[in-house]
Amino acid sequence: LCEAFGLPGFRPTAVDMARDKHRTRAALEAAGLPTPRNFLIERKEQLDTAGQHVGFPAVLKPVSGAASLGVKKVQCNQDLHQCYRDVVSELSSLVVS
């Protein structure tokens, strides 16, 4: 609305980028700012590669969302696999009204 009415405020693209953790990190890296090692997991077959790239301990987070919904601390590859299953199950059971 701010943009549509010429009022000061955040641009929708900036808000969308800030809500997407992977896009936020990519923008920070492109600006030369330090970010933690990260890996965008798009399917379960990538879990081992993600664990090798990021290392442990690590934090598994959904790309979008707020607060701590779906956020898990993982200590090892076995934890990563279990937490991934837990998060997928947790998020798939959400009801949007």
Side-chain angles (χ1 to χ4, degrees):
L1 288 176
C2 291
E3 189 174 51
F5 289 105
L7 300 172
F10 297 111
R11 292 188 336 261
T13 54
V15 173
D16 290 343
M17 186 177 293
R19 295 187 67 170
D20 181 319
K21 294 169 185 67
H22 187 71
R23 287 179 63 195
T24 299
R25 287 191 185 104
L28 292 171
E29 286 176 3
L33 297 170
T35 63
R37 283 181 305 225
N38 62 87
F39 189 100
L40 178 62
I41 301 169
E42 297 177 295
R43 57 190 185 282
K44 65 182 176 183
E45 292 80 16
Q46 296 175 300
L47 290 172
D48 292 335
T49 303
Q52 291 169 359
H53 176 75
V54 173
F56 298 101
V59 177
L60 180 65
K61 296 180 173 189
V63 170
S64 61
S68 59
L69 183 64
V71 176
K72 307 282 185 190
K73 181 178 179 183
V74 294
Q75 297 289 346
C76 63
N77 201 51
Q78 183 177 346
D79 282 353
L80 177 59
H81 283 262
Q82 183 60 53
C83 288
Y84 179 83
R85 285 189 296 271
D86 293 347
V87 169
V88 167
S89 175
E90 181 180 330
L91 296 179
S92 68
S93 67
L94 288 178
V95 175
V96 178
S97 59

